[in-house]
Amino acid sequence: METIILDTGDLAPAVEALKAGQLVAFPTETVYGLGADGTNAAACRRIFEAKGRPQDNPLILHVLDKPALMALTLGPLPAAAAALVEAFWPGPLTVVVRANPDIPGAVRAGLDTVAVRSPSHPAARDLIAGLGRPIAAPSANLSGRPSPTDAGAVWEDMAGRIPYIVDGGSTHVGLESTVVDCTTTPPTLLRPGGIGLDMVASVVGEVAQASGHGPVRAPGMKYRHYAPEAPVIWLDRIDPEAVQPALAELARDYPKLAVIAPEPLPQAVLGGRQRSLGQDAVTAAHRLFQAIRQLDQLKPDGIVIVWESEDGLGLAVKNRIEKAATTRVRL
Ligand code: AMP
Ligand code: MG
């Protein structure tokens, strides 16, 4: 299949493709999504085929507003969901609610709940409005790979597999939405993301954190994610006195080591195989996936990522590094 890149000013072919049950990759404020008509079961199944995504990993439905969420919810909207929507929509916050049984099983991965969010990106909103129905969309990467934050990264993974990629430049947030399960009391954080846990808690009070133990609460939580070709080694502190010797030792084991770290970057002679995460968590979130993809193209034999913070977006950055990592070095 030939893949065509569209400008955000020329969305008509993308809307027609969605109406015809085909897939369209599009920008959102978090990462690029791989969208299908969320009411069309066959179209939604195509998302799983194109990504190589496990069948039991559910999708997020993208809508314009709260009334659209209410139409997808079975029974009344939980108070926590209403409050989160009021505070953060449109934006990088996904609520999980009891699902209207009309929603295709593929979207829910067979669960009786559904995840819904309202993106703020104008191109995403234009597509939803043009289709006139919710758009089901996970990130537009091959399953297991880092999420795409620009159209070039989507092209790397999806060229030949989908008819259209809408190019909206580089995404603003750079990592996925925060997912909050509003069917539990208190609500449960299923995935940290573009809205910090502190912000969520300021709206709903107590928030339970899904633990890595016990039954899997959301199928998406059990897979390794965001991973490049090279093994990823996470150094879990930023103190230079700990990082420098650890890096020196790793450089002996991995002669073509690459490094991603906050500033100031550790001193290491790496032939340009270095990317900066900047000086704060917002910048790090924006840069992380692109840094991983760019360094991976240099074919390093290992990628070290230095990260410690859990403040604000730091928790989401740490979560993505943890899931991408093959090894964690505790400093
Ligand atoms: P993504 O995997 O980032 O491409 O987007 C979908 C993610 O949303 C999944 O991996 C899950 O973590 C989460 N999600 C979607 N639907 C549900 C649901 N019904 N219950 C819990 N989590 C969900
Ligand atoms: Mg994803």
Side-chain angles (χ1 to χ4, degrees):
M1 177 187 303
E2 190 195 358
T3 301
I4 295 167
I5 308 244
L6 294 176
D7 189 83
T8 51
D10 174 29
L11 294 177
V15 169
E16 288 314 307
L18 289 170
K19 285 182 177 167
Q22 295 181 303
L23 305 184
V24 172
F26 62 97
T28 79
E29 70 277 24
T30 58
V31 301
Y32 274 70
L34 181 62
D37 177 346
T39 65
N40 179 335
C44 292
R45 281 196 296 272
R46 274 186 202 112
I47 292 177
F48 291 82
E49 279 164 36
K51 282 183 61 104
R53 184 177 177 99
Q55 301 283 338
D56 62 350
N57 196 358
L59 310 174
I60 294 173
L61 286 178
H62 294 68
V63 299
L64 289 180
D65 52 24
K66 184 171 154 193
L69 165 65
M70 291 169 72
L72 296 168
T73 306
L74 183 67
L77 197 62
L84 289 169
V85 162
E86 186 64 36
F88 302 120
W89 277 19
L93 189 284
T94 298
V95 293
V96 171
V97 295
R98 297 257 164 254
N100 179 326
D102 294 344
I103 298 167
V107 171
R108 298 178 275 122
L111 297 169
D112 60 4
T113 55
V114 64
V116 186
R117 102 170 173 97
S118 183
S120 64
H121 196 291
R125 300 187 71 79
D126 287 349
L127 286 176
I128 300 165
L131 177 63
R133 293 192 277 270
I135 294 182
S139 49
N141 51 278
L142 290 174
S143 191
R145 301 247 305 138
S147 304
T149 57
D150 57 40
V154 178
W155 180 270
E156 261 174 50
D157 282 18
M158 288 297 149
R161 292 171 181 258
I162 61 175
Y164 294 110
I165 299 171
V166 177
D167 186 351
S170 169
T171 61
H172 177 65
V173 179
L175 44 74
E176 298 84 346
S177 61
T178 302
V179 180
V180 181
D181 184 351
C182 296
T183 68
T184 62
T185 311
T188 306
L189 177 73
L190 296 181
R191 175 175 78 182
I195 301 283
L197 182 55
D198 49 337
M199 304 270 287
V200 173
S202 75
V203 170
V204 297
E206 192 189 347
V207 183
Q209 291 228 40
S211 74
H213 312 287
V216 178
R217 304 284 297 276
M221 294 162 66
K222 75 185 181 198
Y223 299 103
R224 184 161 174 257
H225 266 131
Y226 320 118
E229 301 279 325
V232 171
I233 303 130
W234 173 27
L235 300 189
D236 67 1
R237 279 178 53 208
I238 58 163
D239 172 11
E241 306 231 340
V243 170
Q244 289 295 355
L247 266 185
E249 198 179 317
L250 283 166
R252 281 195 290 275
D253 295 343
Y254 300 86
K256 242 186 121 182
L257 198 64
V259 175
I260 299 172
E263 283 167 30
L265 286 173
Q267 287 160 10
V269 183
L270 296 163
R273 294 187 300 276
Q274 279 207 73
R275 287 294 179 281
S276 160
L277 290 176
Q279 296 184 358
D280 58 80
V282 172
T283 308
H286 180 71
R287 292 183 183 175
L288 177 68
F289 286 137
Q290 190 189 44
I292 293 174
R293 279 186 181 260
Q294 284 181 348
L295 286 179
D296 207 34
Q297 284 175 349
L298 304 177
K299 306 272 174 223
D301 47 19
I303 299 177
V304 170
I305 308 182
V306 182
W307 189 259
E308 179 173 342
S309 166
E310 292 191 339
D311 294 340
L313 289 202
L315 183 66
V317 171
K318 185 169 171 172
N319 168 270
R320 304 304 187 272
I321 295 169
E322 198 166 11
K323 295 210 165 187
T326 37
T327 315
R328 173 178 182 173
V329 178
R330 291 173 193 273
L331 292 178

